[in-house]
Amino acid sequence: MSNAPLSLEPRLEPRLESLLESPAFLHTLVDALGSPLNIVLPEQIAQNVERFRAVFRRHQLAGRVFFAHKANRSSALVRRLTTTEAALDAASLSELQHALGAGFHGERIMATGPKDPEFLWLAARSGATLNADGPGEIEEAAALVRAYDLPRLRVLLRLSEFETSGARTLSRRSRFGASVKSLDGVLDALERHQSALEPIGVGYHVDTTSLDEKATALEGCLRAMEELRIRGFQPRVVDVGGGFGVNYLAHAAQWDRYTTALTDAVMGRRPPMTWGGHGYGLRVESGTLKGSLSLYPAHRPIAGAAYLDALLARPAPSLGRPLGTLLLESLCDLYAEPGRALADQCGLSLGRVLEVRGTDAGEHLVRLAMNAGDVSLEEHGVLMDPVLVPRDGSADGSAADASGPVGVHLMGNLCLESDLVTRRTVRLPRLPCPGDVLAFPNTAGYCMDFSATSAQQQPVARKVAVHQEAGAWRWRLDEQYWPITYTGGHRA
Ligand SMILES: Cc1ncc(COP(=O)(O)O)c(C=O)c1O
């Protein structure tokens, strides 16, 4: 069997593709601002919002798309979103402050996740909606509203542990939200605190790729809405959370081939495909394959806005009619909180090649001026090849060395054995040279700044926002970006 490294080509939409075809521009940025460097594309996030809005229109649903800010810290992306129809999901005090400072009105913000008192206070003070994590938070919020004479706070109940009427499908346990079984008690609390809190609906965020599980949760929410109505509340919103996913790879066949070969390699039927025989969750015990692949399904035929579309078109597990129709008929507004899916194609991470070292085993180690925290694709289980951006500007770098496709291991800049930018052998079109840059596409969702640290005082990546003007790429530091032009003419 061939020992050639298998490709996992990234899926590139036109903006990201055009940026990667501009090596001189990318090298100028890395020369000026250092490595690692993160690039974000604010125009792309606006386009992604529009894709979600189109799904709402198709199902004739009113409602809102909240960007789950946790996916990326960029100011440019958040500021650009203020000029779209998007709202924002803030999961910490700093994210909330950032959103308010970017121009989001409190009314367009939802506070999610576990909260400290300061976060709760500012959310209430600024008129944000509280996505309540459980009964304790409801009590705390009501007490704050009364103690500080804050405006009545709109509250959405986050629910969990749904089941269909036949108890066939059960959604997984979560440390967040209140179990639907405890809904009665939560509604008692809301009744007691009516002067301080206004319940506007219910929601969920289930961390799964399964449409079945989400359909069960959504139907569970529709039932819970009935409970609220029976108690005399006037709920009007169902929030389907985030988790719509991203399709990272260009070719399904490459993904299938790769995962099959990885299983063969773990079984010893082909040479290792990873550093130290790492199995991404698979192992062999007494000749038998054990464990399961703990990888993100990098090729996802239905992801992002298309996933929401599929969910709304899906029949409710017990009621049998499409979930979108049931939402429409019960006059519910739909809220969604995509993070990763709105950040799809919105950025890339650049790392300069510092050293290329041959080994006795015949493999090459490529050391980068970045570390595993700077591009945490692997931490999120996303396997995807980087793109070589040659220093000499030739598309395939053929001027430097005509070695042809090679498999390399990518090492980070920390003195840690575990600091591997990728644990697998990565396929490049040729052996890189010091000074070349590797671009990791599509890192804006969680992979560019979620896990970055200043360990060993290595620099944390700076961030720039880029856009195209008259066919040329222009850039600004992320914090310098505002959605206005400096050419005298302002947006219509
Ligand atoms: C409450 C909530 N909403 C939305 C999201 C965003 O999820 P995703 O980025 O998968 O769309 C998360 C992610 O953790 C979350 O916890």
Side-chain angles (χ1 to χ4, degrees), residues 68 70 89 112 158 205 241-244 337-341 446:
K70 58 180 80 84
D89 153 2
T112 64
R158 179 164 172 184
H205 170 77
F244 303 97
E337 304 156 12
R340 190 188 293 268
Y446 299 104

Side-chain angles (χ1 to χ4, degrees), residues 428-482:
L428 294 177
R430 62 144 167 100
L431 203 55
C433 308
D436 285 342
V437 159
L438 289 190
F440 297 83
N442 216 354
T443 51
Y446 299 104
C447 296
M448 70 168 50
D449 62 22
F450 199 88
S451 309
T453 69
S454 44
Q456 244 174 262
Q457 301 199 28
Q458 293 286 12
V460 172
R462 301 184 78 169
K463 198 175 271 157
V464 296
V466 301
H467 70 281
Q468 282 165 306
E469 218 174 273
W473 284 101
R474 304 286 187 125
W475 69 277
R476 294 181 223 176
L477 287 173
D478 181 65
E479 63 269 23
Q480 295 295 330
Y481 175 96
W482 289 94

